[in-house]
C-alpha cells in the first residue's frame, strides 16, 4: 500500500471504524486485520493505529480459533510494533506477548505448511515487539520463550523461513546476560550444530555464527558446543577456506578461528580439547602457527595461550617443542610488525613461562633473545606482553636476571617506559621488571646499571603504588640496593625523597603489615649512609617505630624492636 493511500485512510477516520469491525464473530475480521497489517508497513501509520485504539481488539483476536484470523492479527501486531515504541507499549499493556508464547507452545509440534507459516508470523511478531528493547526481551525470557523457541528449531529445521526467524530471535535474546542460563538448560548447542552441518550457503552459516558467538561467551554452553561437535565443523571450515582469497571465505575463516579461540577460554572446554596434548584438535591448532595465513597464525597463538592456563598443559607443551614454533612465528613478524600476531605469540610465551620447571628450558631455548627483538616496538600491547614474558622468565633465575639486568639497552628502555603515563599497564610492568632484575640477581653490577640509567627514582615511586604487591617488590629491591650499593645510589635515593616516603608508610594506619616490616628493614639498611642517616634523625622515626612494637603482627612488632634499638644506638 503506497503512502498516498495510507494518508487518505488516516484522514478519513476509517481507522477508528476498523476498531469496531475487529470482532471475533464477524466474517470480515481477517480481511480488516490484513488491511491494518498493510497500512502499518508505513512507519508514520503505526502511531495512528495505536491512537485509533486498534491494539486492544487485535490482542483480543489472538484468542480466536480461526487460523487465518490469527495469521493476519499476528502480522498486524508485528508491523505496528516494528521500530515503534508506542506500538510495543500498547501491546505490552494489552498482554499480547503471553498469548503469542502460549500459541507457540501449543502449536509447536504441528508441521503442516499453514501452521508453520503461522508460527513464523508469531515469531516475527515477538521479534518486532522486543528488538533492541532490554526490558521487553527480559519479559519474554521470564515468560519462558527460550525453551519454546529451541524446541521449535528442533522440530521445524526443514522450514527455512521459520528456522531463520528462530535464529534472529536467538541472536537478539542472546545479547542479554540473563538469557545465557536459560539457553544453557536447553539443547540449543546440539540443535545449532546440527543445523550448521546442513548449511552450504555462506549467508546461512553467517546467521548461525551470529548466534553462536554471544552464546559461546557462557562457559556451560562452551562445553555443550564442544560436546555437540562444533569444533570439528570449525576445523573443516578452516581447512576449506585457508587458501581462498574470496572475501566471504576470508570472513568465514576469521569467524571460525575466532570462535575456536573463544571455546578455549572455558576451563572445562579447553581441557577437554587438549586431551593431554594428544588431542586431534590441539594438533590441528598447532599446525596453524607455521601457516602463511596471518589470521590463522593469530588464532593459533591465541589458542596456545588459552591452552597454557594450567601448569600441566604448559609443561607438556614446552616439552613438545611449542616454544620453537612460537619463536619462529615471532621471527617472521619482527620486520612487518603485525601487532596482533606479536601480541598473541608473546602472550603464549608469557603463560608458558609460569611453571618453575619451564623457565630454565625456555631460557636455554633462547626465548629472551627472541623477545628482546621487540624492544623497539612502539605498540603498548606488545610492550606490555614483552615485559610480562621477561618478568616470568627471570623469576628465581639469578643468572638470567643478572644477564638482563646488565643489558644497558633493556634497562634504558625500561626507565623510559616507567614514564609512560598514558599506559598504566606498561608503566606498572616496567617498574616490576626493574625491581625483579634486582631481586632475582642480587647483583651489584645490575644495581649499578640501573643507577646509571636513572632507574632509582622509579623504584622509590613504586613504593607508593596503590598495589601492595608492587609496593612490596619495590621495598625489597631498595633494601638490596641499600645493602649492596648504598654509596652508588645514595644521591638518587636522597633526591627521590625515600626517607620521607618511608616515614609516611610507617605512620599510615592503612599500610599493610608487610609494607611496615619492609620499610623498617630498609630504614636500618639506610643508616650506613651519612646523609640518609641524618635525614632519618631529622624526622622523628623513633615515635613511629616504638608505636609499632605493640603491632598485632608478630613480625612487625619484632622488627620494630630491632629498628628502635638501631635508631637509639645511632642517635
Amino acid at each position: 500500500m503506497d503512502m498516498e493511500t495510507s494518508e487518505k485512510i488516516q484522514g478519513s477516520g476509517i481507522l477508528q471504524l476498523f476498531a469496531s469491525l475487529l470482532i471475533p464473530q464477524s466474517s470480515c475480521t481477517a480481511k480488516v486485520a490484513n488491511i491494518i497489517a498493510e497500512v502499518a508497513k508505513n512507519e508514520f501509520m503505526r502511531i495512528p493505529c495505536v491512537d485509533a485504539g486498534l491494539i486492544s481488539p487485535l490482542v483480543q483476536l489472538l484468542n480466536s480459533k480461526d487460523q487465518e484470523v490469527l495469521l493476519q492479527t499476528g502480522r498486524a501486531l508485528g508491523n505496528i510494533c516494528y521500530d515503534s515504541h508506542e506500538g510495543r507499549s500498547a501491546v505490552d499493556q494489552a498482554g499480547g506477548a503471553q498469548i503469542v508464547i502460549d500459541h507457540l507452545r501449543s502449536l509447536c509440534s504441528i508441521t503442516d505448511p499453514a501452521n508453520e507459516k503461522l508460527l513464523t508470523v508469531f515469531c516475527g511478531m515477538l521479534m518486532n515487539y522486543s528488538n533492541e528493547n532490554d526490558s521487553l526481551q527480559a519479559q519474554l525470557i521470564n515468560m519462558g520463550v527460550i525453551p519454546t523457541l529451541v524446541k521449535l528449531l528442533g522440530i521445524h529445521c526443514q522450514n527455512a523461513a521459520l528456522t531463520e526467524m528462530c535464529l534472529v530471535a536467538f541472536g537478539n535474546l542472546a545479547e542479554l546476560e540473563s538469557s545465557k542460563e536459560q539457553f544453557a538448560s536447553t539443547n540449543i548447542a546440539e540443535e545449532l550444530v546440527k543445523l550448521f552441518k546442513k548449511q552450504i550457503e555462506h549467508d546461512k552459516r553467517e546467521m548461525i555464527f551470529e548466534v553462536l558467538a554471544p552464546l559461546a561467551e557462557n562457559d556451560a554452553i562452551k562445553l555443550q558446543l564442544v560436546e555437540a561437535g562444533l569444533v570439528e565443523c570449525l576445523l573443516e571450515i578452516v581447512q576449506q577456506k585457508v587458501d581462498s582469497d574470496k572475501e566471504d571465505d576470508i570472513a568465514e575463516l576469521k569467524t571460525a578461528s575466532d570462535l575456536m579461540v573463544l571455546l578455549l577460554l572455558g576451563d572445562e572446554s579447553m581441557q577437554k580439547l587438549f586431551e593431554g596434548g594428544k588431542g586431534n584438535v590441539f594438533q590441528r591448532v598447532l599446525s596453524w602457527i607455521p601457516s602463511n595465513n596471518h589470521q590463522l597464525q593469530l588464532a593459533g597463538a591465541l589458542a596456545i595461550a588459552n591452552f597454557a592456563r594450567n601448569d600441566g598443559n604448559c609443561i607438556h607443551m614446552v616439552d613438545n617443542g611449542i616454544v620453537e614454533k612460537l619463536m619462529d612465528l615471532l621471527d617472521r613478524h619482527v620486520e612487518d610488525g603485525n601487532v596482533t600476531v606479536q601480541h598473541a605469540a608473546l602472550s603464549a610465551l608469557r603463560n608458558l613461562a609460569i611453571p618453575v620447571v619451564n623457565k630454565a628450558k625456555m631460557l636455554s631455548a633462547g626465548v629472551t633473545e627472541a623477545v628482546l627483538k621487540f624492544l623497539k616496538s612502539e605498540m603498548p600491547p606488545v610492550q606490555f606482553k614483552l615485559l610480562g614474558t621477561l618478568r616470568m622468565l627471570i623469576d628465581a633465575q639469578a643468572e638470567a636476571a643478572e644477564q638482563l639486568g646488565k643489558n644497558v639497552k633493556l634497562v634504558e628502555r625500561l626507565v623510559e617506559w616507567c614514564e609512560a603515563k598514558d599506559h598504566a599497564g606498561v608503566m606498572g610492568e616496567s617498574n616490576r621488571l626493574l625491581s625483579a632484575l634486582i631481586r632475582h640477581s642480587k647483583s651489584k653490577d645490575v644495581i649499578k646499571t640501573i643507577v646509571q640509567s636513572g632507574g632509582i627514582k622509579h623504584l622509590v615511586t613504586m613504593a607508593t603504588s596503590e598495589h601492595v604487591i608492587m609496593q612490596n617488590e619495590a621495598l625489597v629491591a631498595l633494601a638490596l640496593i641499600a645493602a649492596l650499593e648504598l654509596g652508588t645510589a645514595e644521591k638518587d635515593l636522597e633526591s627521590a625523597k625515600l626517607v620521607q616516603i618511608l616515614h609516611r608508610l610507617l605512620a599510615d594506619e592503612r599500610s599493610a603489615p608487610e609494607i611496615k616490616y619492609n620499610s623498617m628493614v630498609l630504614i636500618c639498611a639506610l643508616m650506613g649512609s651519612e646523609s640518609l642517616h641524618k635525614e632519618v634523625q631529622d624526622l622523628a622515626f623513633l615515635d613511629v617505630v616504638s608505636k609499632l612494637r605493640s603491632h598485632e603482627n608478630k613480625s612487625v612488632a619484632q622488627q620494630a624492636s630491632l629498628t628502635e634499638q638501631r635508631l637509639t644506638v645511632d642517635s
Side-chain angles (χ1 to χ4, degrees):
M1 187 174 291
D2 61 17
M3 295 277 267
E4 203 181 342
T5 317
S6 298
E7 279 168 351
K8 282 182 182 156
I9 288 179
Q10 193 184 347
S12 67
I14 200 169
L15 288 177
Q16 285 73 8
L17 177 63
F18 282 166
S20 58
L21 295 173
L22 289 171
I23 43 173
Q25 295 75 16
S26 159
S27 59
C28 65
T29 306
K31 288 196 178 72
V32 175
N34 178 28
I35 295 171
I36 295 170
E38 293 302 317
V39 169
K41 282 182 177 174
N42 286 331
E43 97 186 76
F44 65 91
M45 291 302 291
R46 289 169 199 152
I47 293 177
C49 285
V50 176
D51 293 343
L54 296 179
I55 301 295
S56 185
L58 282 169
V59 169
Q60 289 308 307
L61 286 177
L62 287 172
N63 297 308
S64 164
K65 297 276 174 280
D66 181 319
Q67 200 165 27
E68 185 57 24
V69 170
L70 286 175
L71 185 76
Q72 298 305 338
T73 304
R75 284 185 61 230
L77 286 169
N79 290 351
I80 292 171
C81 283
Y82 187 80
D83 251 354
S84 162
H85 172 68
E86 293 75 10
R88 291 168 179 184
S89 289
V91 174
D92 179 20
Q93 276 154 6
Q98 186 66 63
I99 306 173
V100 172
I101 290 179
D102 291 342
H103 276 305
L104 288 178
R105 272 199 200 109
S106 59
L107 301 171
C108 183
S109 318
I110 308 166
T111 55
D112 67 88
N115 186 60
E116 290 194 321
K117 190 173 178 191
L118 180 57
L119 289 170
T120 307
V121 165
F122 278 159
C123 281
M125 185 224 133
L126 289 179
M127 276 314 85
N128 290 354
Y129 170 69
S130 67
N131 187 29
E132 290 187 356
N133 182 317
D134 285 1
S135 63
L136 292 179
Q137 288 178 344
Q139 179 196 67
L140 294 182
I141 292 170
N142 291 336
M143 290 174 177
V145 73
I146 288 176
T148 307
L149 288 173
V150 174
K151 199 168 157 195
L152 271 182
L153 181 70
I155 296 171
H156 302 275
C157 54
Q158 301 304 328
N159 183 310
L162 185 48
T163 303
E164 207 158 299
M165 211 40 107
C166 286
L167 288 173
V168 174
F170 293 146
N172 286 351
L173 295 169
E175 298 297 329
L176 269 198
E177 256 330 288
S178 56
S179 72
K180 309 264 168 77
E181 272 157 44
Q182 286 235 5
F183 275 119
S185 62
T186 69
N187 62 338
I188 178 106
E190 212 178 314
E191 294 297 355
L192 287 175
V193 173
K194 204 160 67 185
L195 191 65
F196 191 84
K197 285 177 175 162
K198 283 197 219 134
Q199 303 307 326
I200 326 151
E201 293 166 54
H202 170 77
D203 295 345
K204 291 274 162 53
R205 292 213 289 222
E206 198 61 32
M207 275 191 87
I208 302 173
F209 271 140
E210 276 167 21
V211 180
L212 287 170
L215 285 180
E217 283 166 15
N218 174 287
D219 280 359
I221 300 176
K222 284 186 181 77
L223 190 60
Q224 291 167 5
L225 288 169
V226 167
E227 285 169 346
L230 176 62
V231 172
E232 289 68 23
C233 302
L234 298 177
L235 290 170
E236 202 172 315
I237 288 178
V238 168
Q239 205 166 2
Q240 288 164 3
K241 313 286 179 190
V242 63
D243 297 320
S244 166
D245 42 21
K246 289 218 307 257
E247 213 168 298
D248 277 358
D249 290 346
I250 293 169
E252 202 166 337
L253 177 82
K254 177 170 169 33
T255 309
S257 53
D258 282 349
L259 188 52
M260 183 76 204
V261 172
L262 181 58
L263 292 175
L264 292 172
L265 272 175
D267 287 337
E268 284 183 88
S269 47
M270 179 272 289
Q271 213 45 47
K272 191 177 170 64
L273 293 170
F274 189 65
E275 291 179 65
K278 307 272 182 289
N280 166 42
V281 176
F282 173 66
Q283 296 302 330
R284 289 278 285 280
V285 167
L286 215 54
S287 72
W288 294 355
I289 294 176
S291 91
N292 288 320
N293 183 306
H294 282 191
Q295 172 58 32
L296 277 195
Q297 295 170 0
L298 171 65
L302 287 172
I304 297 301
N306 285 345
F307 279 126
R309 284 210 313 279
N310 63 52
D311 283 7
N313 293 5
C314 288
I315 292 165
H316 178 88
M317 288 193 280
V318 167
D319 287 345
N320 284 275
I322 186 71
V323 171
E324 289 68 22
K325 286 191 171 65
L326 289 167
M327 281 168 34
D328 288 345
L329 177 60
L330 274 175
D331 241 10
R332 294 161 70 178
H333 290 284
V334 175
E335 294 313 320
D336 82 333
N338 184 313
V339 177
T340 46
V341 176
Q342 293 172 2
H343 180 258
L346 288 167
S347 295
L349 286 171
R350 180 195 176 279
N351 287 3
L352 290 166
I354 292 173
V356 179
V357 293
N358 280 357
K359 297 182 197 293
K361 292 174 186 164
M362 290 175 71
L363 287 167
S364 61
V367 173
T368 40
E369 293 73 18
V371 169
L372 285 171
K373 289 180 187 162
F374 295 92
L375 257 190
K376 55 181 190 286
S377 169
E378 292 304 331
M379 304 311 264
V382 174
Q383 297 167 353
F384 180 72
K385 286 296 177 189
L386 171 147
L387 293 164
T389 307
L390 291 176
R391 190 163 63 79
M392 285 304 158
L393 280 171
I394 62 166
D395 192 9
Q397 308 293 313
E399 207 177 313
E402 176 155 19
Q403 209 181 340
L404 280 176
K406 293 194 294 199
N407 179 333
V408 178
K409 265 210 180 95
L410 169 65
V411 174
E412 283 177 349
R413 194 73 161 131
L414 291 183
V415 171
E416 184 187 326
W417 285 340
C418 282
E419 288 162 13
K421 298 273 185 292
D422 303 341
H423 301 287
V426 173
M427 201 162 106
E429 278 291 340
S430 305
N431 277 305
R432 293 189 74 183
L433 183 52
L434 265 187
S435 152
L437 292 170
I438 296 170
R439 288 182 298 115
H440 298 304
S441 72
K442 302 185 175 53
S443 147
K444 287 171 169 269
D445 289 338
V446 170
I447 294 171
K448 284 180 186 155
T449 309
I450 290 174
V451 172
Q452 277 152 10
S453 305
I456 297 297
K457 62 173 184 286
H458 297 300
L459 291 171
V460 175
T461 308
M462 182 181 170
T464 62
S465 160
E466 61 212 39
H467 305 290
V468 174
I469 188 162
M470 284 175 65
Q471 277 187 292
N472 224 12
E473 288 172 355
L475 290 169
V476 173
L478 288 165
L480 282 163
I481 293 170
L484 296 168
E485 276 296 325
L486 187 52
T488 316
E490 186 177 45
K491 280 204 175 55
D492 289 351
L493 293 172
E494 222 174 310
S495 59
K497 305 234 181 304
L498 173 61
V499 174
Q500 288 83 332
I501 286 170
L502 292 174
H503 190 275
R504 221 170 50 226
L505 289 175
L506 287 172
D508 188 345
E509 313 259 288
R510 291 163 310 183
S511 298
E514 60 267 40
I515 301 302
K516 297 202 153 147
Y517 177 86
N518 282 321
S519 297
M520 288 187 284
V521 170
L522 182 48
I523 283 293
C524 294
L526 296 176
M527 301 300 260
S529 147
E530 209 172 309
S531 52
L532 292 167
H533 186 165
K534 185 172 180 327
E535 284 190 17
V536 172
Q537 283 175 327
D538 292 347
L539 283 170
F541 265 90
L542 263 172
D543 304 352
V544 195
V545 171
S546 53
K547 276 194 194 124
L548 291 174
R549 277 201 344 230
S550 53
H551 196 280
E552 57 194 6
N553 181 299
K554 286 265 178 22
S555 309
V556 172
Q558 225 170 350
Q559 186 57 44
S561 296
L562 291 170
T563 309
E564 190 181 37
Q565 285 166 15
R566 184 74 201 267
L567 289 169
T568 322
V569 171
D570 287 350
S571 59

